[in-house]
Amino acid sequence: MDHAILAPSDEELMAAYVAGDHAAFAELFRRYAPVLLRLMQHRLRRRQEADDLVQQTFLQLHRSRHDFRKGAALRPWLFTIALNLRFQHFRACGRRRETPLDVDAIESVDTAVGAPQEQFDESREIQAALKKLPSEQRDVIVLHWLAGLPFSDVSRAVGASVNAVKVRAHRGYVSLRKLLRRAER
Amino acid sequence: MLGGAALATPSLKEHLEACADCSVLAVELSRSSAAPGAPGGAEAKLDSLRHRVEGALQGERGLVAQLRSLPTRWRMLIASVAAATMALALAVLSPRVDLAVYPLGRMMVSAAMCAVLLVAIMAQNLRPLQAPDRSRRALFLAWVAVIAPFSIALLPEAKLAHPVPFNDAHDCLLLGTVGGAALMTLLGTLDRRAVAHRSLLVPAAAGGILANLALLFHCPVTSPLHLVVIHAPIGIVLFGGHKGFRAARMRIARAGAA
């Protein structure tokens, strides 16, 4: 039998956690911590800061658990918390300008053990190209691609209209492609 | 970098079908992420992060933790009821002596303005993190709340047959500051954000506007000078006090850590 069919959805896990099932929280952490870590690392210099923000994201998930409405999707809910925390972090640090993480730190999470060197290099190129995009475009691309959020959820997470988000994504993808082509040459 | 789940999103598929640039890029990106997964070192780091999160959740106990974990509508209700109780308590226990002769319409308009502003600021302050950020709106409302009492104070003075002398109202600053600080403390308790991420101005503005609302039913002095010098700046006093308190707390925490 397909194991994926038996796996509870994120929303079911969240409902179970709200009802007091701590194992559900552990499973949510397992599913989302790596993605959230990557989301944070795209804009932060130190790994420690990214860890702190992911920790706070899960803490906020716990504190806000009774706000989670039946029928709502967990993924955009959680990513909005993460983005808001990151924004607050930048504001508290007094540096609105982004300071991207160094490539080595990104790779420590993004690349697989035993992955071919070619894939390793491509991932490195994509990360480097992503860092060159304006933050508005990068956030949309990261949420759309990395987190797999539909545009409607991305728009909710970044607080912009769906059309604005689509325009940002399109421009971002075009720029990213150009950057990657330039890197190939 | 990209998981298969991301590529399965219907809106993404739709976009890829419509956009040639992105579809080419999708192939390139998918190729580069064909074998995702966390390396051993990263797994260990995630494990340590999980322990940290579990440790943080262990600390989420007690009354304060329960209060901030309440649904947002409940937190908002608690703050609103507390603010209304403070204002009404002052009005009932120590009503202004000129209540019978003071222009009721003027008082009601001022009170309604303060109340609406107070509810709007508290809603911004208790806004959950899963909602898109509205910090600019909160800041704007806070500034309005800081300025509004000055505007009310500078309105033409209500002419009464027997105005209360300026010196007869010496407890306004104390009562207003205590009431405002109590509301600020409650808002801080209900706030889910980390202390370092909390606004200083927004809760202080809420405290200031509550103080002005409560004093409207208590203080019989109609002199604009009294209102401008004593009532209106309570929000600013609370902001200064809050800032000093937080700085002292940070210094103590840093000294403790060292």
Side-chain angles (χ1 to χ4, degrees):
Chain A
M1 201 179 282
D2 188 357
H3 186 70
I5 294 170
L6 295 174
S9 69
D10 296 340
E11 290 71 28
E12 285 168 343
L13 285 171
M14 188 64 189
Y17 181 57
V18 173
D21 180 0
H22 292 278
F25 182 85
E27 176 59 16
L28 284 172
F29 182 89
R30 192 191 65 76
R31 287 186 188 182
Y32 281 104
V35 189
L36 288 171
L37 211 45
R38 272 175 273 168
L39 177 74
M40 297 301 183
Q41 285 176 335
H42 277 290
R43 294 277 293 274
L44 293 161
R45 186 186 292 277
R46 287 194 299 261
R47 163 81 193 221
Q48 183 62 35
E49 285 178 320
D51 281 359
D52 288 346
L53 288 179
V54 173
Q55 181 186 334
Q56 281 188 44
T57 304
F58 282 101
L59 191 59
Q60 289 298 330
L61 179 140
H62 169 78
R63 286 178 180 173
S64 311
R65 65 195 185 280
H66 296 301
D67 273 342
F68 188 75
R69 277 170 298 168
K70 204 178 169 186
L74 179 72
R75 194 174 267 248
W77 197 83
L78 191 57
F79 276 88
T80 308
I81 291 178
L83 284 181
N84 280 335
L85 281 170
R86 197 181 64 180
F87 174 71
Q88 287 177 358
H89 172 77
F90 281 130
R91 199 173 44 195
C93 293
R95 53 183 164 97
R96 287 171 185 275
R97 287 264 163 210
E98 60 201 78
T99 46
L101 188 77
D102 54 294
V103 171
D104 290 344
I106 295 171
E107 281 161 3
S108 70
V109 170
D110 280 351
T111 53
V113 167
Q117 185 61 37
E118 195 180 321
Q119 283 174 7
F120 189 86
D121 289 342
E122 280 183 13
S123 174
R124 191 189 178 105
E125 280 167 16
I126 291 167
Q127 296 296 346
L130 266 175
K131 284 201 289 182
K132 288 178 186 164
L133 293 182
S135 58
E136 284 184 344
Q137 292 175 9
R138 181 172 43 205
D139 277 349
V140 169
I141 289 177
V142 166
L143 287 175
H144 195 207
W145 277 99
L146 186 74
L149 295 184
F151 280 127
S152 54
D153 290 343
V154 176
S155 81
R156 219 178 308 154
V158 301
S161 71
V162 175
N163 283 340
V165 163
K166 281 182 179 174
V167 169
R168 282 183 207 174
H170 181 77
R171 286 180 183 160
Y173 289 135
V174 171
S175 308
L176 199 55
R177 192 168 164 229
K178 279 181 191 163
L179 288 166
L180 288 172
R181 279 194 176 160
R182 212 175 294 159
E184 271 176 24
R185 280 180 212 145
Chain B
M1 182 184 98
L2 305 166
L7 296 173
T9 309
S11 72
L12 183 55
K13 279 182 180 169
E14 196 182 304
H15 180 73
L16 290 176
E17 281 166 16
C19 176
D21 280 327
C22 296
S23 61
V24 174
L25 183 65
V27 175
E28 288 172 6
L29 287 168
S30 303
R31 220 191 304 139
S32 77
S33 61
E43 254 174 39
K45 281 175 187 167
L46 279 176
D47 219 32
S48 119
L49 181 58
R50 187 170 56 82
H51 287 305
R52 277 178 55 189
V53 170
E54 283 168 356
L57 292 187
Q58 288 293 318
E60 288 291 299
R61 290 193 178 153
L63 182 64
V64 173
Q66 278 183 356
L67 282 172
R68 64 183 165 216
S69 289
L70 287 171
T72 297
R73 59 178 186 279
W74 281 101
R75 291 185 300 134
M76 190 59 203
L77 186 69
I78 290 170
S80 303
V81 168
T85 306
M86 279 190 256
L88 285 175
L90 198 58
V92 170
L93 298 175
S94 178
R96 59 191 296 165
V97 291
D98 62 347
L99 202 57
V101 292
Y102 191 83
L104 192 66
R106 181 183 170 129
M107 183 187 276
M108 286 301 121
V109 168
S110 302
M113 196 174 125
C114 289
V116 168
L117 208 48
L118 179 59
V119 170
I121 296 171
M122 289 195 306
Q124 289 301 323
N125 195 69
L126 298 177
R127 192 175 165 81
L129 277 169
Q130 67 269 18
D133 182 76
R134 294 279 183 268
S135 49
R136 279 184 192 166
R137 187 183 296 177
L139 205 59
F140 171 75
L141 281 171
W143 277 112
V144 171
V146 168
I147 293 164
F150 287 98
S151 314
I152 293 172
L154 291 171
L155 286 173
E157 187 178 349
K159 296 288 177 200
L160 303 178
H162 304 285
V164 177
F166 188 98
N167 293 337
D168 276 12
H170 42 73
D171 60 350
C172 295
L173 187 62
L174 180 69
L175 283 174
T177 308
V178 169
L183 181 67
M184 279 174 70
T185 307
L186 180 64
L187 287 175
T189 305
L190 295 169
D191 199 334
R192 291 175 183 157
R193 289 170 293 181
V195 175
H197 290 172
R198 289 178 194 169
S199 166
L200 284 168
L201 183 65
V202 177
I209 208 82
L210 171 68
N212 277 274
L213 175 63
L215 291 175
L216 205 60
F217 300 113
H218 164 75
C219 175
V221 180
T222 55
S223 154
L225 182 66
H226 173 78
L227 299 179
V228 166
V229 173
I230 307 291
H231 289 208
I234 291 174
I236 298 169
V237 170
L238 288 171
F239 173 72
H242 192 187
K243 199 169 178 176
F245 177 72
R246 193 189 279 189
R249 222 167 99 169
M250 300 269 269
R251 235 177 283 135
I252 291 166
R254 254 186 249 128

